């Protein structure tokens, strides 16, 4: 595999509308490679019956591994600074965007979700039961996470460590999943999500706050680390589509 075509979630770098994104190299070992890009809120969430029920678990002996790294080409990009417009005593005066984090060491791109898309059977699927997102210094922590959703869905716990008013507004396929005002007195609440797909979380009080949850239906995925590296083990023989999301 020679290249990855990705699109940044908010479409901006350094405050200017992005006209062209960056080709990054991914090196991997598998029979067939094909990458497509996925943008938040553009792909209709599949239902549990359509996607979750397709996957069959079995013991994978001597399975293969896909590993590699996602990098940018060209010059190291200048981090995007975001002006803080309110609650400076907690939020500070500015933030650095987490939408595009590149390693100065090797130009690896962090927070790229790499997955096998069309795999219907493989290693045992241990679905995640609950995710946690904290609102800390007026940022969502973590900014991005990927999780395995089962037939029973998944819970998301939203915490407020700041002690000020936040408003957690979650979308999937352009539709509101929940919209909850969370003053400092409400330290946490839990909401349930039924379907796989991309969930976008925003704060209606602090417009710069955003986070992403990628809910997947098979266990063959990874999120790139600070050096843009990923690894997906225990893959049964076959031909698969690799998909990268950023």
């Amino acid at each position: 595999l020679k290249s990855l075509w990705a699109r940044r979630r908010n479409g901006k770098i350094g405050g200017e509308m992005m006209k062209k994104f960056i080709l990054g190299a991914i090196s991997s070992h598998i029979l067939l490679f094909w990458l497509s890009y996925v943008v938040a809120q553009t792909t209709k969430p599949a239902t549990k019956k359509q996607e979750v029920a397709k996957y069959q678990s079995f013991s994978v002996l001597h399975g293969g591994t896909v590993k590699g790294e996602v990098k940018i080409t060209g010059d190291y990009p200048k981090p995007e600074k975001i002006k803080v417009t309110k609650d400076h005593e907690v939020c500070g005066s500015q933030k650095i965007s987490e939408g595009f984090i590149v390693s100065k060491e090797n130009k690896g791109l962090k927070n790229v979700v790499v997955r096998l898309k069309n795999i219907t059977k493989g290693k045992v699927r241990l679905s995640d039961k609950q995710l946690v997102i904290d609102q800390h210094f007026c940022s969502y922590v973590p900014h991005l996470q990927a999780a395995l959703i089962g037939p029973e869905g998944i819970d998301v716990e939203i915490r407020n460590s700041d002690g000020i008013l936040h408003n957690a507004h979650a979308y999937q396929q352009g539709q509101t999943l929940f919209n909850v005002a969370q003053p400092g007195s409400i330290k946490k609440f839990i909401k349930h999500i039924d379907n796989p797909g991309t969930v976008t979380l925003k704060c209606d009080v602090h417009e710069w706050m955003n986070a992403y949850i990628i809910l997947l239906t098979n266990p063959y995925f990874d999120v790139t680390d600070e050096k843009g590296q990923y690894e997906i083990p225990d893959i049964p023989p076959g031909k698969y589509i690799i998909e990268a999301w950023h």
Side-chain angles (χ1 to χ4, degrees), residues 152-182:
E152 69 283 357
I154 193 169
D155 288 335
V156 179
E157 179 181 304
I158 308 295
R159 298 177 180 175
N160 184 354
S161 295
D162 286 338
I164 60 174
L165 175 64
H166 287 296
N167 190 92
H169 196 163
Y171 303 85
Q172 191 176 46
Q173 183 52 28
Q175 301 296 318
T176 293
L177 295 179
F178 57 84
N179 185 8
V180 180
Q182 191 176 13

Side-chain angles (χ1 to χ4, degrees), residues 33-44:
F33 282 174
W34 185 83
L35 282 179
S36 64
Y37 67 92
V38 178
V39 182
Q41 304 180 22
T42 61
T43 302
K44 183 178 181 179

Side-chain angles (χ1 to χ4, degrees), residues 185-203:
S185 59
I186 300 178
K187 297 303 180 183
K188 64 181 180 180
F189 67 88
I190 296 175
K191 289 293 183 179
H192 188 77
I193 299 176
D194 289 317
N195 290 318
T198 300
V199 176
T200 303
L201 186 63
K202 297 183 178 181
C203 177

Side-chain angles (χ1 to χ4, degrees), residues 3 29 47-48 52 56 58 72 81 85 96 103-104 120 136 171 173 197 215 225-226 231 238 240:
S3 65
H29 302 286
T47 66
K48 292 178 288 185
V52 179
Q56 299 178 357
F58 68 96
I72 68 165
K81 296 180 180 180
T85 57
I96 300 298
S103 169
K104 292 183 178 181
T120 57
H136 188 55
Y171 303 85
Q173 183 52 28
L215 298 175
D225 60 17
E226 289 79 3
E231 182 172 347
Y240 307 107

